[in-house]
Amino acid sequence: MVQALNAAMDIMLGRDANVVVFGEDVGYFGGVFRCTEGLQRKYGPSRVFDTPIAEAGLLATAVGMGAYGLRPVVEIQFADYIYPATDQLISEAARLRYRSVGDFTAPITVRAPCGGGIFGGQTHSQSPEAIFTHVCGLTTVIPSNPYDAKGLLISAIEDDDPVIFLEPKRLYNGPFDGHHDRPVTPWTEHPAGEVPDGYYTVPLGKASVVRSGEAVTVLTYGTMVHVAMTAVAESGVDGEVIDLRTLIPIDIDTIVDSVRKTGRCVIVHEATRTSGFGAELSALVQENCFYSLEAPIVRVTGWDTPYPHSLEWDYFPGPKRVAEGLRRAMEG
Amino acid sequence: MKNAVPLRLHVPEPPARPGQEADFSWVKVPPAGTVTRPDIAVDPYEIRRHAYELIRVLDDNAAAVGPWDPRLDAETVRRGLRAMMLTRAYDERMFRAQRQGKTSFYMRCTGEEAVGVGQAMALDDRDMTFPTYRQQGLLITRGWSLVDMMNQVFSNTRDRLKGRQMPIMYSSKEAGFFSISGNLATQFSQAVGWAMASAIKGDDRIAAGWIGEGATAEGDFHHALTFASVYRAPVILNIVNNQYAISSFQGIAGGERTTFAARGLGYGLPSLRVDGNDFLAVYAVTRWAADRARANLGSTLIELFTYRAAAHSTSDDPSKYRPADEARHWPLGDPIERLRAHLVARGEWSDERHGQLAAEVDGEVRDALREAESYGTLGTGEHHSPATMFDDVFKEMPWHLRRQRQELGY
Ligand SMILES: Cc1ncc(C[n+]2csc(CCOP(=O)(O)OP(=O)(O)O)c2C)c(N)n1
């Protein structure tokens, strides 16, 4: 997935002279997760560069560059470190189009590794997507595989409004089925690990049905797509697994079609439960599919605690907990 | 009006990259003893040059010279040497433990030991510290238990932080050591708040905060200076300039044409720049700043000019972004070696005693390790019960967390 993200930025830097890529350690070094490796060498330091450690400054200057007409692609080293930038994101970038009636826009892509599974403790594991989906004017994207990551990142960079692009770091080097005690499998053995060369896009705002099923709809995204697939396989429940890919704007049609068909819905995310994106999904399903529902909607999520270091795997909603959720939805 | 030349962006580049000759020709090393030592009541404006000088006490013959010589007795200096050696031995052992799979992560302060140790000795043990992850020397100098520190690193059954925090994110109110945050710079302005509180209550304790030169770019750094200046808070604000922020050299943090100490001048703070590998100089400037704070003269900004001799962390490989042998070329040497030479020059130390001390601190670390490992390591999976995960989110556990704990089976 790292190479796919790198390729997306490489292609956009090549196609559009207004694209610039910057962030902490992204220039010469190529990023702590190596996503921008080689890009500075290829495009020069005025298009791909290291920045001071100041997330608020990163986003503020990105807004200014956007006002000029550039398309900044900003890397926040970990999603956990995005908070200093939230004023620039929420009060400025997200509302610039609205308050200037389109006179100024903020065509910014903010890339940030999210999620746990690497023993990063509470400041290298968070999934803060719901903070951004709550803000009007921000598009929030979370890919679950290299093919989508590349196509979605190109779409995000081409988008004329700010996009929060969260990259599940546990997926950088391979799909993760949630069984942390088993050997890591590389992307090369996964169908979506196949990434075409060159330019292509995956549209923002479109979900993907990664497994068709009749019994229950599973709404999920990011790392949890793979965990949900494992849970479906292990539980024998015929789940229809939907990878939302873009959280806002949400692909409501795909969700409604599926829940109307199955009559049951399980929502799975790694982020904390309360006021998480699952709450919004649950409300949407209830509002749009109430008469099709045969059981209460089930949420399987991270607990409402900070992400603990040593108890990481007790925190992570693994295949067992997801399978349990599937069974509950079937019984309910 | 049209510009004669097209505008262009300046992106700072370090003097040397991998494969090139290490280059520290830009580092001006003045002779020891040449920077004046003003009275603590000095008008900050009068000493603005100090922000660009380098206060040094140990000269080329390892003698202590000049007005900043703190004139410490040999016993005190030996205590400093011992704490620095213990810090290094601890670091090396924990680094190896990480490599052996006993924990997930570790960060050493190799080459920067004089910062944590020298400054802890210059402060009162009751003073409050707001450190970064590279001031383990503070805890060690204050005599905190190595076993307790290791328990935290191993997230084991005796870890007081219950395995919640990543290794090295210690916390000890008892030791006057604020809970370390993963989010850079946050502690710097918090230190000012603690100092303001101490002033509000008419207390006699002062505070000290630390920050890396890289993190001075964060807003919290500037909030610290503003509040410290406005309220003349009894706080010492320390910038540890170890030349690197992960892969980024100090020029990316804004050090190309000025010093980090000079950041303080715009806020009207006395700002000192000190050779961070000179234990005696570090001790002396910290003492000066502490005396000012205690006399209600307000805050001092100190830049400790040093070098990160090891990798940023166990996840980092510095040979990817700096010359592999750069550390050997660092012109200010090694703090332990320099203090050892000083004691020898004073006739207060010998190779034999040094060897004995090295063996002694190694033994102390080994014994602590044996005990800590008996309580488990992250690798062995012996840690606190998952039930504890839900404690301390709030003082009283609300119903939804109780329900979630039940769902987990506890
Ligand atoms: C707010 C925030 N942004 C980014 C990071 C990631 N990060 C961790 S350490 C580090 C470099 C810090 O460099 P410096 O302040 O110079 O301290 P040093 O590590 O050299 O002691 C970075 C960028 C972080 N921990 N917090």
Side-chain angles (χ1 to χ4, degrees), chain B residues 41-121:
Chain B
V42 69
D43 175 354
Y45 187 76
E46 297 302 320
I47 57 160
R48 59 196 184 283
R49 287 287 324 154
H50 281 62
Y52 303 95
E53 313 272 3
L54 196 64
I55 296 170
R56 308 179 70 228
V57 169
L58 290 169
D59 73 8
D60 293 345
N61 302 317
V65 298
W68 286 96
D69 175 9
R71 300 174 187 282
L72 297 178
D73 61 64
E75 197 42 50
T76 306
V77 179
R78 277 192 292 265
R79 211 153 48 78
L81 181 68
R82 186 180 197 285
M84 289 201 288
M85 288 169 69
L86 185 58
T87 302
R88 188 168 294 180
Y90 173 78
D91 270 357
E92 289 312 315
R93 200 61 202 79
M94 290 297 96
F95 175 81
R96 251 188 300 151
Q98 191 276 343
R99 289 293 188 249
Q100 293 164 345
K102 291 174 184 167
T103 190
S104 55
F105 179 82
Y106 192 73
M107 294 175 106
R108 292 177 284 179
C109 65
T110 315
E112 303 173 36
E113 291 89 350
V115 175
V117 173
Q119 298 202 275
M121 286 180 66

Side-chain angles (χ1 to χ4, degrees), chain A residues 24-25 32 52-55 76-78 80-84 123-124, chain B residues 107-108 112 132-135 169 181-186 211-218 240-248 250 253 308 312-313:
Chain A
E24 297 156 17
D25 301 291
V32 295
I53 302 170
E55 292 75 13
I76 299 291
Q77 201 162 83
F78 286 86
D80 314 68
Y81 302 137
I82 205 166
Y83 306 126
T123 55
H124 303 87
Chain B
M107 294 175 106
R108 292 177 284 179
E112 303 173 36
T132 79
Y133 43 71
R134 253 186 254 286
Q135 280 85 49
M169 306 266 178
S181 173
N183 298 58
L184 292 171
T186 50
I211 194 169
E213 90 291 343
T216 62
E218 294 281 6
V240 185
N241 178 1
N242 65 5
Q243 313 305 321
Y244 285 93
I246 310 186
S247 76
S248 299
Q250 50 86 29
R308 196 196 77 207
H312 171 73
S313 72

Side-chain angles (χ1 to χ4, degrees), chain B residues 340-376:
Chain B
R340 163 195 177 152
H342 168 68
L343 275 171
V344 171
R346 269 168 80 163
E348 292 285 353
W349 202 235
S350 65
D351 287 352
E352 196 194 334
R353 289 178 76 180
H354 195 81
Q356 277 167 5
L357 180 58
E360 187 184 308
V361 296
D362 277 346
E364 190 173 332
V365 171
R366 204 176 335 106
D367 292 347
L369 184 72
R370 194 171 306 122
E371 182 178 345
E373 284 189 9
S374 76
Y375 308 133

